[in-house]
Amino acid sequence: VRVPGDFNPCLFLGVAEPMGRFYCGNIGGVLDERDLATGARTGFRLDPQLGSVGELSMASDGRELVAFGEDVGVVSRWRLDGSGPIVDVARPGWGSNGYDPSGQLLLAFEGQRETLNDLGDLPPPDFFVWDPATGEVVHDLDGIQAATWMTPVRVGAVFDDGTPGFYDLGRDDRLPSPGARHATVAGAWLSAGGARTYVLGNRGDESNPRCEIWAVDVDTIEYVGPTIEVDQCEHETFNTVSTTPDASRLAFTYVSR
């Protein structure tokens, strides 16, 4: 993200929409607050940072921010009322897939990847549910190599056998999946006001990809709405899929290779 007149890009971005603010971090360790409407700095900086700023996760009420250090194993939790950090904990190699819909728990991982994209041949990361208020791991997600939130008690997952599906945290059990799509899952994102998870999959092969986006109702775990075909997807890496709250419009961001 580049702000007009500012030559320092936001390599790491967290948005606190209820407060009309966003937070911009860079490789120099600077993490500052900006106005969501204008992009102008407010003068509030979240210091100190050790090395490059890393992944940013925002609580659902926009009042707390968790920053994962890119270079140093530090997780910083910030209260955004100007009172500074709440906790600073060494967590080497940690990353996050964001807060759950209640804004209380983080889906965290330790390893190479943070999304369902590009599983490749690297060893899968260890996924778990972390409470940043106490610093405790509340769920170890054994047998899962990639995960994303659906509800506060349910995650979408790619299991160690390579199949996509869903996992119930309350029951500590794998849930039956909706009808098989026979696709390689490339990503999954919670959107539509927390009502749907959007799954990106390839039902073709490397020489003839057939990329599609499907919506899954987070309560019924059923496919809903039309299947969206993505043209010419062989040269793109998809970063996010999101919709308006009523799911009437969908947008996705990607990087062309």
Side-chain angles (χ1 to χ4, degrees), residues 47-60:
D47 291 324
Q49 295 295 312
L50 302 176
S52 172
V53 177
E55 182 124 10
L56 304 177
S57 292
M58 191 73 59
S60 58

Side-chain angles (χ1 to χ4, degrees), residues 1-256:
V1 176
R2 289 190 180 273
V3 177
D6 188 337
F7 296 100
N8 294 312
C10 288
L11 298 179
F12 307 98
L13 186 69
V15 179
E17 186 175 8
M19 301 178 68
R21 296 288 189 265
F22 71 93
Y23 296 85
C24 179
N26 65 28
I27 59 175
V30 176
L31 179 57
D32 59 14
E33 182 184 74
R34 305 193 186 193
D35 185 271
L36 187 58
T38 66
R41 289 183 173 86
T42 66
F44 176 45
R45 285 183 43 174
L46 283 65
D47 291 324
Q49 295 295 312
L50 302 176
S52 172
V53 177
E55 182 124 10
L56 304 177
S57 292
M58 191 73 59
S60 58
D61 62 3
R63 299 185 183 279
E64 290 185 7
L65 174 71
V66 175
F68 293 81
E70 181 78 0
D71 301 324
V72 181
V74 171
V75 179
S76 299
R77 178 170 168 247
W78 298 86
R79 185 179 292 114
L80 300 178
D81 57 5
S83 58
I86 304 170
V87 65
D88 209 21
V89 185
R91 301 290 186 185
W94 276 31
S96 168
N97 277 8
Y99 274 98
D100 76 325
S102 74
Q104 296 179 347
L105 301 174
L106 279 167
L107 185 58
F109 64 92
E110 184 175 13
Q112 296 290 336
R113 297 174 307 282
E114 59 204 53
T115 70
L116 302 183
N117 285 320
D118 299 328
L119 294 180
D121 297 324
L122 295 173
D126 295 321
F127 272 84
F128 43 87
V129 178
W130 181 54
D131 185 342
T134 64
E136 295 181 356
V137 173
V138 296
H139 289 284
D140 280 310
L141 301 182
D142 295 330
I144 292 176
Q145 59 179 270
T148 188
W149 284 111
M150 293 187 68
T151 75
V153 296
R154 185 176 297 159
V155 298
V158 173
F159 296 95
D160 283 348
D161 60 9
T163 61
F166 307 94
Y167 192 85
D168 190 295
L169 298 174
R171 295 163 43 188
D172 284 324
D173 194 17
R174 185 170 174 171
L175 298 173
S177 299
R181 294 286 171 130
H182 303 292
T184 300
V185 173
W189 298 268
L190 181 67
S191 195
R196 296 180 180 181
T197 291
Y198 289 84
V199 181
L200 173 68
N202 181 4
R203 299 179 72 183
D205 53 37
E206 185 174 351
S207 61
N208 186 29
R210 180 186 170 191
C211 297
E212 298 177 345
I213 297 174
W214 321 299
V216 179
D217 185 285
V218 300
D219 293 319
T220 65
I221 318 184
E222 297 290 339
Y223 292 115
V224 293
T227 296
I228 300 172
E229 294 190 10
V230 182
D231 295 332
Q232 299 178 341
C233 64
E234 65 270 25
H235 300 301
E236 278 76 43
T237 297
F238 289 81
N239 294 325
T240 61
V241 174
S242 60
T243 73
T244 53
D246 63 358
S248 62
R249 181 172 297 178
L250 180 144
F252 54 84
T253 62
Y254 62 91
V255 175
S256 294

